[in-house]
Structures are given as C-alpha cells and as structure tokens.
Amino acid sequence: MSAEGTTGDEAHQAPVTGWGTFEAKGLGTLWLAWTEVGLLELSFERLNSALADPQPVPAVYSEPLRRYFDGEPEDFAEVPLDLRGTEFQLRVWNALRAIPWGQVRTYGGVAQAVSSPRAMRAVGQANHVNPIPIVVPCHRVVEAGHHLGGYGGGLERKQLLLELEGVRFHEGVVQPGQMELF
C-alpha cells in the first residue's frame, strides 16, 4: 500500500509486525505501531498492541521524527504509511500531508481541497480519528477565526507542534502570514 492508504473494507490488511516508543523533545513518549506495509499508528498514549515486547523503532520512522523534533523542516513524504479509513478520511489525511511545514489551513480550506466544500465538520472528525498524528499533520488545521480549534492530543500539544514549526501566536490566535485560505 502507498501512503494513500486503504479503506476499511480491504479483506487482507497487514497485521501489526512491531511496536515501540520514540522520545519526542517537549512531548514525551510517542507510541508507534507498524506493519510490513508501513506506519499504522502513532499515539500520545500507550497502544493496545498484541505484541508482547516493544522493539526498536525502525530508522525509516525514527529518523524523520528525530529531524522533526530537532526543528528541521520534515514533510514525512518518504515515510511508508499503512493508512486505514473511509474514502473520505483518506482524502482528508492525504490533503493534510500536502500542508507545508510551518503553515496552517482552516477546516473549510481542507474541505475545499477534498472537493467537499461544506464538509468542515467531517474534516474535523477525520482529523480527530487520524491514526498517525504529526506524520499526517492534523495539528496544522485551525478554525476559521485562526483559533487553534480542537486536537485529539490536547491543545497544548497542538500549539507546541505548531510553534516548533515556527507558527506564531498572539493570545491563542495564529498570526497572519502563515495561512492560506481557499
């Protein structure tokens, strides 16, 4: 599978082949699970993995994460993913991957990008269930008023991730010049 992912209807989804942890500067421990296809899950909370023992995180996942948390622009384009979701979720997650480092989009802007201009709430829901935050950068989506909006990992983490990328805030609002409105 490519980074474009598969729908939940796929009969033969690759099983989890490994899981491990990554220490993220400023965020603490990230939990990762992967298959032979690619990264399946990244979580701020412990994963419920069927595998008993953690393994070293493969360099194909850990090196881009290290660069990212060192403050180097990283688009994660070379990270193989095993994205699983509905057709709409996959379209949203792929649109998120197109948002450049240090920039944000609105929920409405992402809805436009996936040819569903009235689906702002559905975009928010797809962000909420994103199985691979950071790599699929749902933290780069903000409300129309440039406020942070929601984030499954907590608003403090969302702001920290955006600040790591150089996004500037004033009283919780993204400052102009870092946003493209569709």
Side-chain angles (χ1 to χ4, degrees):
M1 318 273 143
S2 69
E4 297 195 12
T6 61
T7 63
D9 299 333
E10 300 283 329
H12 302 294
Q13 293 183 341
V16 172
T17 56
W19 73 275
T21 60
F22 178 88
E23 293 304 317
K25 292 180 188 174
L27 278 183
T29 303
L30 299 178
W31 302 79
L32 290 80
W34 54 89
T35 69
E36 63 188 24
V37 174
L39 188 59
L40 179 66
E41 190 172 359
L42 185 153
S43 178
F44 300 108
E45 307 295 328
R46 184 177 176 87
L47 297 174
N48 293 325
S49 177
L51 301 175
D53 297 318
Q55 301 166 354
V57 175
V60 69
Y61 311 128
S62 64
E63 284 305 307
L65 285 168
R66 182 199 54 75
R67 286 190 297 272
Y68 180 86
F69 285 104
D70 282 347
E72 298 174 31
E74 175 61 56
D75 65 8
F76 298 103
E78 300 301 316
V79 175
L81 302 180
D82 189 352
L83 279 173
R84 301 175 184 182
T86 67
E87 179 191 339
F88 181 79
Q89 289 169 337
L90 294 170
R91 288 190 354 241
V92 169
W93 297 336
N94 284 310
L96 299 178
R97 297 191 78 206
I99 303 171
W101 164 279
Q103 294 186 23
V104 296
R105 301 291 185 271
T106 63
Y107 293 96
V110 174
Q112 280 290 118
V114 299
S115 301
S116 297
R118 296 170 49 117
M120 288 85 70
R121 289 182 187 206
V123 166
Q125 185 59 32
N127 282 4
H128 182 70
V129 297
N130 173 12
I132 312 175
I134 303 169
V135 175
V136 177
C138 54
H139 63 278
R140 295 181 186 154
V141 182
V142 298
E143 293 179 344
H146 305 180
H147 292 273
L148 284 175
Y151 189 63
L155 291 182
E156 186 175 305
R157 282 187 181 125
K158 182 174 185 172
Q159 185 165 339
L160 189 144
L161 291 168
L162 290 171
E163 288 173 341
L164 176 71
E165 296 180 19
V167 173
R168 295 177 315 279
F169 292 86
H170 179 70
E171 297 179 3
V173 177
V174 174
Q175 293 302 288
Q178 306 165 104
M179 177 169 233
E180 286 183 21
L181 299 176
F182 295 93

